[in-house]
Amino acid sequence: MRLKVIRKLVGQLNDTEKTAAFMRIVELRQRMYSELKPDVLLLDPVDLIADHLLLYSEETNQLMCYLRAISAKVCAEYGLGLPIFELMRNNPAYQEGYRKFSEEAIEPIQIFYLCRDPLYRDELKGLKAVELLTWVAMRVSG
């Protein structure tokens, strides 16, 4: 397996290698979610400012899975809150939990959108992909 990291694509949109990799992410994510709900489009404001971690198959050189991570600091630079804020909006228990967490956190980071291509289920079997990519995301995001 091979790992590729794309950090904050917004400043690198002229880098054709990175934008092509990003479009593979979009295709995988859209394909996975359209099976559940075909009328949903899955691009959002943090796509261009998040760190994206891509895991490729050595055999086929195809994207097997990916996730993304973004810090509260980066979101604030662009006048955004962490994406989880939208989910917390109508749930006071979540808001209280986040408030307590953020009082102790050095810099909150949200890691989300794990997508795994079912075609690579066997190759990913036994691999702790979530744990691996989460650890790498935290290292990459500081």
Side-chain angles (χ1 to χ4, degrees):
M1 288 175 238
R2 181 173 56 85
L3 175 69
K4 180 178 185 87
V5 177
I6 301 173
R7 297 192 68 164
K8 206 172 180 182
L9 185 62
V10 71
Q12 306 174 72
L13 291 171
N14 60 348
D15 185 324
T16 55
E17 181 184 338
K18 289 180 181 166
T19 55
F22 176 75
M23 289 311 297
R24 284 191 288 279
I25 291 170
V26 171
E27 186 278 328
L28 174 60
R29 188 165 75 192
Q30 191 64 40
R31 183 166 36 99
M32 296 297 96
Y33 282 84
S34 66
E35 291 175 6
L36 300 171
K37 191 167 170 122
D39 61 343
V40 172
L41 298 175
L42 291 169
L43 292 173
D44 64 41
V46 300
D47 272 320
L48 295 180
I49 59 174
D51 294 336
H52 298 268
L53 293 95
L54 298 77
L55 198 56
Y56 288 88
S57 168
E58 282 289 340
E59 292 177 22
T60 65
N61 202 33
Q62 296 299 309
L63 180 63
M64 296 189 301
C65 64
Y66 92 98
L67 63 72
R68 70 181 184 180
I70 190 157
S71 69
K73 180 182 176 185
V74 170
C75 285
E77 288 172 14
Y78 289 87
L80 302 169
L82 283 171
I84 198 169
F85 289 169
E86 189 64 34
L87 298 173
M88 295 187 315
R89 182 172 299 194
N90 297 320
N91 192 320
Y94 291 168
Q95 293 171 16
E96 178 62 15
Y98 182 79
R99 185 191 64 74
K100 287 179 180 179
F101 167 76
S102 62
E103 287 174 358
E104 295 186 27
I106 296 169
E107 182 179 348
I109 295 173
Q110 184 174 348
I111 301 170
F112 57 120
Y113 266 145
L114 172 71
C115 287
R116 290 182 277 186
D117 191 326
L119 297 173
Y120 293 94
R121 185 171 286 128
D122 289 341
E123 195 165 341
L124 292 169
K125 195 174 193 173
L127 173 69
K128 303 276 188 211
V130 175
E131 291 87 346
L132 170 66
L133 290 175
T134 300
W135 179 80
V136 173
M138 291 180 81
R139 296 286 296 172
V140 166
S141 296

